[in-house]
Amino acid sequence: MKKYWLVGAVLCGLLSFSFLNYSASACIGPDGKPVEGTDGAVTNCGSVEEGEVSNPDYWEVDPETLDFGMLSEVGRSYTASFEINNSTEGDLEFTVAANKYDGDDIADENKLASGWLAFVGGVTYYKVPALSKKTVNVRVIVPADAKAGTQYALIKITGSDEKVQYVNVRMTVGGEDAKFGGAISSSFISPFGLSDKVSAKATVKNSGNAGFEAKYVLRGKSAFGNADWKVLDEDAAEVAPSKEVTFESSDTDEALGYGIFQVEQKITYVNDKGEMVEAGNSRTVINMPMWLLIVIGVVILLIIGLIVFLAVRSKKKEEEEQEAEEAEKAKKSKKNTQVDIEIDEDK
């Protein structure tokens, strides 16, 4: 009986070996993102800088988030700047305005910064020639009664082509009461998938009154050999005071392939000591297509059926041999009985 189970184990082992050697990673294509214009030194407000065309139908702002950093003193002003980059082949006109942050991901008590903003020289109108960029200087004046913690606002940029973009504004009023409180509240990587991609998620919570940007990276590599890590997903998000952000990768842009892999996710955030730290988790992940799972299921059922069939046949054969043996014994016993009778009759 044991030898039949051994046969089944060997067949299962061969099937597993075939799966380990099956891999179909997706190809990596060229980066389709538009290339930004040529960077140059930031000059005074209103300065013009020529650059090459990257997308002749597009204009953009850089950076998308204007971070004034930690403002150590109340009652004084601080200055930062962003650029309007006109990559189109025509001249454009722009107006800028300070707006209140209107997203639900930030509490109302942290949306006061729009009233603290002003544009240097009072300039809110800019004409940007084709293939050029202009610098917009922004000043923030921190009220004397401002509480410690991070405040947010938006700067609205409206182009003469009727397109609108926004620059997020972040500033943190310093002092003894300014506290960061980043921590990973949960993280998970699915150990099994029926596609060539990976499902994972992680949540970063901020229990302090100072906001920060959290960064997320999901990467994987073959569980065998010295394969290089492949980045599957990258993301970044603002974690406002008393809020949390969840990074989720259920349909990543990059495919990992089919097989057995080592996958890890790393999250960078600011902890309660004000330190930028990196943490995360990793695990072994098995990816296989649905048809292969069906094939494996069918093969396993066939192996079980074969083992049962062989076991039943073996048992039946044993029973037949036992019956034949008992019949032979009965025949011999009957013959011996007849011999005994004949001996008695001779006497």
Side-chain angles (χ1 to χ4, degrees):
M1 182 69 180
K2 293 182 179 179
K3 64 181 181 181
Y4 299 119
W5 290 105
L6 181 61
V7 171
V10 171
L11 291 175
C12 287
L14 291 174
L15 182 64
S16 300
F17 179 78
S18 298
F19 169 67
L20 294 179
N21 286 276
Y22 176 80
S23 178
S25 299
C27 296
I28 301 175
D31 187 359
K33 295 181 180 180
V35 180
E36 296 181 358
T38 303
D39 293 332
V42 177
T43 57
N44 294 329
C45 180
S47 63
V48 179
E49 186 171 312
E50 295 293 331
E52 296 180 359
V53 177
S54 59
N55 187 334
D57 299 319
Y58 190 70
W59 62 268
E60 61 186 355
V61 293
D62 183 37
E64 296 180 353
T65 297
L66 192 61
D67 187 5
F68 282 86
M70 185 72 72
L71 310 181
S72 57
E73 298 181 31
V74 297
R76 60 162 291 187
S77 64
Y78 299 83
T79 303
S81 62
F82 66 92
E83 291 181 335
I84 302 174
N85 183 9
N86 180 11
S87 295
T88 71
E89 296 180 342
D91 297 347
L92 291 175
E93 298 175 356
F94 299 90
T95 57
V96 295
N99 285 17
K100 181 179 179 180
Y101 190 94
D102 58 358
D104 295 333
D105 55 333
I106 295 176
D108 289 340
E109 62 186 20
N110 299 109
K111 299 178 180 179
L112 306 178
S114 59
W116 304 355
L117 295 178
F119 297 97
V120 174
V123 180
T124 59
Y125 167 83
Y126 295 85
K127 184 175 181 179
V128 185
L131 313 181
S132 302
K133 60 178 72 172
K134 282 196 176 182
T135 300
V136 179
N137 290 323
V138 185
R139 176 178 292 123
V140 58
I141 303 175
V142 184
D145 60 349
K147 295 181 179 180
T150 302
Q151 296 292 337
Y152 299 88
L154 290 175
I155 295 177
K156 181 180 181 181
I157 303 96
T158 306
S160 55
D161 57 356
E162 299 183 353
K163 293 180 181 179
V164 176
Q165 293 196 40
Y166 293 88
V167 171
N168 295 299
V169 179
R170 175 178 63 214
M171 62 192 73
T172 301
V173 180
E176 295 181 357
D177 295 331
K179 303 292 183 183
F180 292 95
I184 299 176
S185 59
S186 65
S187 60
F188 172 77
I189 301 174
S190 177
F192 181 78
L194 295 177
S195 72
D196 57 358
K197 298 183 179 181
V198 176
S199 178
K201 66 189 306 184
T203 299
V204 182
K205 185 177 182 180
N206 184 5
S207 58
N209 60 10
F212 57 86
E213 183 184 57
K215 296 181 179 180
Y216 175 83
V217 176
L218 178 69
R219 63 180 191 169
K221 67 175 183 177
S222 172
F224 309 98
N226 297 319
D228 294 331
W229 288 98
K230 179 180 181 180
V231 176
L232 307 174
D233 191 17
E234 288 184 291
D235 199 3
E238 179 72 18
V239 188
S242 303
K243 295 290 184 177
E244 65 179 26
V245 170
T246 298
F247 298 100
E248 187 167 4
S249 301
S250 57
D251 189 17
T252 57
D253 293 335
E254 293 291 339
L256 186 56
Y258 295 115
I260 301 180
F261 303 93
Q262 189 69 23
V263 176
E264 68 174 18
Q265 53 184 354
K266 292 185 176 182
I267 305 96
T268 305
Y269 61 95
V270 182
N271 63 13
D272 55 2
K273 297 179 181 179
E275 301 170 339
M276 183 71 73
V277 295
E278 182 182 78
N281 65 318
S282 64
R283 77 178 310 161
T284 301
V285 173
I286 300 176
N287 279 352
M288 67 173 65
M290 178 64 75
W291 66 264
L292 183 57
L293 179 63
I294 295 174
V295 170
I296 292 175
V298 171
V299 171
I300 291 175
L301 290 176
L302 290 174
I303 292 173
I304 293 174
L306 177 61
I307 292 174
V308 171
F309 171 76
L310 293 175
V312 170
R313 192 175 72 170
S314 177
K315 185 176 180 181
K316 186 177 180 181
K317 185 177 180 181
E318 289 176 359
E319 290 176 350
E320 290 176 350
E321 290 176 351
Q322 186 175 0
E323 289 177 357
E325 185 178 349
E326 290 177 353
E328 183 66 23
K329 287 181 179 179
K331 184 177 180 180
K332 289 181 178 180
S333 177
K334 184 178 179 180
K335 185 176 181 180
N336 292 335
T337 303
Q338 290 177 349
V339 170
D340 292 340
I341 293 174
E342 291 176 355
I343 293 173
D344 291 341
E345 288 178 350
D346 291 341
K347 289 181 178 180

